[in-house]
Amino acid sequence: MDSSGVYHGFSLSGGVYTTLTDPNAGTITEALGINTAGIITGLYLDTANAQHGFGLVSGAYKTLDYPGASVTAIDRINDSNELVGLEGPVGGPYHGWRKIGATF
């Protein structure tokens, strides 16, 4: 958390930490997964506190929300760009999901 109360994700590569902040985030960016191609996945809360999934590809943040869900998180990505995460309404119940061959 920084001095203004915003939570940031980070990556560590070659001994160098990089702060991750989705440009659509209000108070939280959380990095949850990474594959060997360097695609990072996670979640962020926007300024209205709605939770969205994101992928960070070559320095560009891309939002990916589960269709019809109010809450999305992308927990992991593998080297075949398969995603797993959770989705659901605000307050739950939440369900797991899987997307094969995701593109951002």
Side-chain angles (χ1 to χ4, degrees):
M1 178 171 59
D2 67 19
S3 62
S4 63
V6 175
Y7 290 86
H8 304 274
F10 70 89
S11 66
L12 172 63
S13 179
V16 177
Y17 286 91
T18 301
T19 300
L20 304 175
T21 306
D22 191 293
N24 297 309
T27 57
I28 295 174
T29 299
E30 186 174 344
L32 300 170
I34 188 170
N35 65 12
T36 58
I39 299 172
I40 297 172
T41 58
L43 65 90
Y44 70 90
L45 296 183
D46 67 19
T47 56
N49 285 326
Q51 183 175 307
H52 305 274
F54 78 84
L56 176 58
V57 183
S58 300
Y61 288 86
K62 306 288 184 177
T63 298
L64 193 153
D65 288 328
Y66 189 89
S70 299
V71 172
T72 300
I74 304 173
D75 294 327
R76 301 286 184 270
I77 183 170
N78 68 17
D79 292 336
S80 298
N81 288 351
E82 294 175 312
L83 307 175
V84 293
L86 66 82
E87 60 82 18
V90 173
Y94 303 115
H95 304 95
W97 59 269
R98 175 182 172 207
K99 182 172 178 69
I100 298 172
T103 57
F104 291 98

